[in-house]
């Protein structure tokens, strides 16, 4: 963040956001942030709160859906002991944590190439029943950056309500996309302008451009925030209401979020996010042009064109008509893999070794498998942020090609294995679990 923002954070490190009576100005700023985000997500009467991060916000969104479902089942005199929630198996761990921690059956929907490695809305709809408290829809998959089809999922749930009478809400996990879609894809329908969407969470420390320690959850109106989640306190000097899992939490990062809202405004955020996307598209196209990599993410492709296989005639027509001026809505994330041709010509090269070799040039580019059912495919991923300039794009492309060609030129995979064992900090950390040195030596385990 800017030096002025850093100074503001340091000056407010001692402010406790939960102590509303002692620091009333923080609550005024908090209310303004909620109003700004609500407006950003197309809701006039939204209510919400800041959280420690998006993970806490997701738990609150899920709890609200569970409480409303339980109240509805109780009112109807029906069994409320077997709630379930539906999400894609590409979901970030915080979503699965909600289901496990709060005793909700987690119905994970397998992803596929046809669903763009994220939620398949038809399969998700088929998994819903009278015990479904809601559907988590992700605006920006951790794996590939794809936006899940919130509007399409809403239409499927509308159909279910018409056919079966089941009123199932959507919570949008917009941890990253909540600060991307409003500025880069303002026409995209994903937020509170869809009646089916009742709550949304986002992270301030991703594309909200604040340091880690701030997240947000909003409900379309007070109607969707159950009273059971709200606690009224009087022992801090005034009457206060709270509905977060954490109580005491720093106010400084919320203040930093408000600083960005005032400092950047809509124009500033739009400029930064669009620049991120432009750099990510340049990176995608450069890697594609190298002929070593297939681009699994689709954010650089014309709207409606998906997949890294050969283009169909219809795809070519779409690109010609659009003139590549309208792209697929997604995060500025580049997910890619070695081409099948390269792997066939260089069977000794392990894709994970590309990631490892890049560390010697200062890059951390993770290599990991896609979600179950597609986990035979490994991808490398680069997240483009505001600090990732076109100069850095040039540098990382050069270093990726260098790493790939270096590995291809090696005579066997043996040398690569030695390199991985020598330089992999994760493997080194795990060795601490089996420490056999002196009793006075350092011991620990990776968390």
């Amino acid at each position: 963040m800017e030096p002025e923002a850093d100074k503001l954070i340091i000056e407010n490190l001692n402010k406790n956001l939960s102590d509303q009576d002692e620091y009333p100005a923080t609550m005024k700023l908090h209310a303004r942030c909620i109003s700004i985000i609500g407006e950003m997500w197309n809701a006039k009467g939204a209510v919400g709160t800041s959280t420690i991060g998006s993970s806490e916000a997701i738990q609150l969104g899920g709890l609200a859906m569970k409480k409303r479902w339980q109240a509805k089942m109780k009112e109807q005199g029906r069994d409320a002991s077997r709630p379930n929630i539906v999400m894609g198996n590409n979901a970030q761990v915080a979503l699965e944590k909600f289901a496990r921690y709060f005793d909700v059956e987690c119905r994970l929907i397998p992803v596929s190439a046809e669903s763009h490695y994220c939620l398949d809305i038809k399969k998700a709809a088929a998994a819903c029943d009278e015990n479904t408290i809601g559907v988590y829809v992700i605006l920006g998959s951790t794996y590939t950056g794809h936006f899940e089809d919130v509007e399409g999922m809403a239409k499927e749930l509308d159909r279910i309500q018409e056919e079966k009478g089941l009123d199932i809400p959507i919570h949008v996990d917009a941890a990253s996309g909540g600060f991307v879609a409003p500025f880069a894809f303002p026409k995209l329908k994903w937020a509170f302008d869809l009646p089916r969407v009742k709550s949304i969470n986002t992270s301030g420390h991703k594309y909200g451009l604040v340091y880690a320690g701030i997240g947000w959850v909003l409900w379309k109106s007070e109607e969707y925030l159950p009273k059971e989640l709200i606690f009224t306190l009087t022992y801090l000097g005034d009457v206060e209401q709270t509905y977060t899992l954490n109580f005491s939490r720093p106010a400084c990062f919320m203040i930093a979020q408000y600083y960005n809202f005032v400092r950047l405004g809509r124009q500033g955020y739009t400029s930064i996010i669009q620049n991120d996307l432009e750099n990510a598209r340049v990176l995608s196209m450069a890697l594609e042009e190298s002929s070593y990599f297939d681009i699994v993410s689709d954010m650089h492709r014309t709207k409606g064109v998906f997949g890294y296989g050969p283009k169909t005639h219809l795809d070519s027509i779409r690109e010609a008509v659009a003139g590549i001026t309208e792209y697929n809505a997604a995060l500025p994330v580049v997910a890619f893999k070695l081409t099948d041709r390269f792997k066939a010509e260089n069977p000794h090269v392990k894709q994970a070794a590309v990631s490892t070799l890049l560390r010697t040039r200062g890059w951390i580019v993770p290599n990991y498998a896609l979600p179950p059912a597609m986990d035979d495919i490994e991808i490398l991923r680069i997240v483009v942020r505001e600090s990732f300039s076109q100069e850095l794009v040039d540098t990382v492309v050069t270093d990726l090609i260098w790493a790939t060609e270096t590995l291809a030129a090696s005579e066997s995979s043996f040398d690569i294995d030695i390199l991985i064992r020598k330089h992999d900090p994760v493997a080194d950390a795990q060795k601490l679990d089996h420490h056999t040195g002196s009793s006075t030596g350092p011991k620990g385990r990776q968390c």
Side-chain angles (χ1 to χ4, degrees):
M1 297 185 72
E2 295 177 326
E4 293 83 0
D6 290 342
K7 183 180 179 182
L8 192 62
I9 289 170
I10 292 170
E11 288 176 350
N12 289 280
L13 281 174
N14 64 329
K15 304 294 190 301
N16 188 339
L17 191 55
S18 66
D19 200 339
Q20 302 174 20
D21 195 39
E22 186 171 357
Y23 306 112
T26 62
M27 298 316 299
K28 291 181 180 179
L29 297 184
H30 185 274
R32 291 178 188 176
C33 286
I34 295 296
S35 178
I36 291 169
I37 297 171
E39 182 78 17
M40 197 166 72
W41 293 345
N42 302 310
K44 296 293 184 182
V47 297
T49 183
S50 64
T51 58
I52 289 297
S54 216
S55 293
E56 182 188 0
I58 287 168
Q59 312 307 307
L60 291 170
L63 275 171
M65 291 193 294
K66 181 181 179 182
K67 292 294 184 182
R68 292 185 71 243
W69 174 82
Q70 287 176 326
K72 179 176 65 176
M73 297 296 277
K74 182 178 180 181
E75 183 181 327
Q76 296 172 357
R78 302 171 66 185
D79 178 25
S81 64
R82 296 180 292 118
N84 68 70
I85 191 165
V86 175
M87 66 188 84
N89 67 352
N90 60 309
Q92 202 260 5
V93 67
L95 283 71
E96 292 189 61
K97 279 183 178 180
F98 163 74
R100 187 180 299 181
Y101 291 175
F102 295 102
D103 298 321
V104 177
E105 178 193 348
C106 185
R107 295 188 173 177
L108 292 173
I109 308 302
V111 305
S112 64
E114 291 72 28
S115 69
H116 318 310
Y117 313 104
C118 52
L119 183 67
D120 186 317
I121 61 173
K122 297 290 185 183
K123 292 179 181 177
C128 293
D129 59 24
E130 67 276 8
N131 292 321
T132 301
I133 67 171
V135 179
Y136 274 144
V137 186
I138 304 169
L139 200 74
S141 172
T142 300
Y143 287 87
T144 60
H146 286 94
F147 284 177
E148 294 183 343
D149 186 0
V150 184
E151 185 177 19
M153 189 72 249
K155 290 178 179 177
E156 286 296 313
L157 294 175
D158 288 343
R159 177 184 60 79
I160 288 175
Q161 185 168 9
E162 290 177 6
E163 295 176 356
K164 302 179 180 179
L166 303 177
D167 185 8
I168 300 171
I170 288 175
H171 174 93
V172 179
D173 173 22
S176 295
F179 277 99
V180 172
F183 305 112
F185 310 103
K187 296 180 181 179
L188 183 69
K189 283 188 155 307
W190 67 276
F192 290 132
D193 47 342
L194 294 173
R196 191 64 58 177
V197 175
K198 310 302 186 187
S199 53
I200 304 172
N201 70 273
T202 195
S203 172
H205 77 261
K206 295 184 175 71
Y207 291 98
L209 309 179
V210 183
Y211 299 128
I214 184 70
W216 301 93
V217 58
L218 271 66
W219 289 268
K220 181 174 292 185
S221 69
E222 289 185 6
E223 175 187 355
Y224 303 106
L225 175 59
K227 301 300 181 185
E228 301 97 303
L229 296 185
I230 303 173
F231 290 83
T232 301
L233 312 176
T234 58
Y235 51 76
L236 291 179
D238 197 2
V239 177
E240 302 177 9
Q241 290 190 330
T242 176
Y243 44 92
T244 55
L245 298 179
N246 274 25
F247 185 60
S248 290
R249 59 196 194 280
C252 59
F253 300 115
M254 180 278 296
I255 295 170
Q257 183 77 80
Y258 183 69
Y259 171 91
N260 271 355
F261 285 154
V262 175
R263 176 74 174 90
L264 297 174
R266 182 175 291 275
Q267 183 178 356
Y269 269 103
T270 299
S271 176
I272 290 170
I273 298 302
Q274 288 184 345
N275 187 66
D276 291 346
L277 288 164
E278 181 180 341
N279 287 338
R281 290 176 187 128
V282 171
L283 173 58
S284 299
M285 293 173 184
L287 292 177
E288 217 164 35
E289 187 68 21
S290 75
S291 77
Y292 294 142
F293 302 103
D294 288 325
I295 310 302
V296 179
S297 49
D298 291 301
M299 52 81 59
H300 67 300
R301 297 188 173 100
T302 302
K303 184 178 179 181
V305 176
F306 296 94
Y308 52 85
K311 292 179 183 177
T312 66
H313 181 59
L314 181 58
D315 288 342
S316 299
I317 292 174
R318 283 176 177 156
E319 291 189 351
V321 171
I324 317 292
T325 57
E326 194 171 4
Y327 296 90
N328 288 317
L331 298 179
V333 168
V334 182
F336 55 103
K337 69 177 190 66
L338 292 171
T339 64
D340 291 340
R341 179 178 177 180
F342 178 88
K343 288 187 285 187
E345 293 174 351
N346 302 276
H348 62 288
V349 174
K350 298 177 181 178
Q351 186 169 287
V354 176
S355 173
T356 303
L357 194 55
L358 283 172
R359 287 177 179 269
T360 67
R361 294 286 178 94
W363 298 105
I364 299 177
V365 180
N367 179 82
Y368 54 89
L370 286 172
M374 295 298 297
D375 53 3
D376 57 327
I377 299 175
E378 290 186 345
I379 59 173
L380 296 152
R381 185 191 64 171
I382 295 176
V383 178
V384 176
R385 296 288 302 273
E386 71 280 2
S387 58
F388 201 82
S389 64
Q390 288 202 3
E391 182 179 359
L392 287 179
V393 171
D394 292 341
T395 304
V396 75
V397 169
T398 299
D399 288 345
L400 273 162
I401 292 173
W402 163 79
T404 305
E405 292 180 345
T406 298
L407 294 168
S410 63
E411 294 182 359
S412 70
S413 61
F414 176 78
D415 293 334
I416 301 167
D417 290 337
I418 291 294
L419 180 66
I420 294 172
R421 287 203 299 271
K422 183 177 180 181
H423 294 286
D424 185 0
V426 174
D428 291 343
Q430 290 172 342
K431 288 177 183 177
L432 293 175
D433 282 345
H434 310 288
H435 182 72
T436 56
S438 69
S439 59
T440 59
K443 295 183 180 181
R445 62 180 297 162
Q446 187 179 6
C447 297

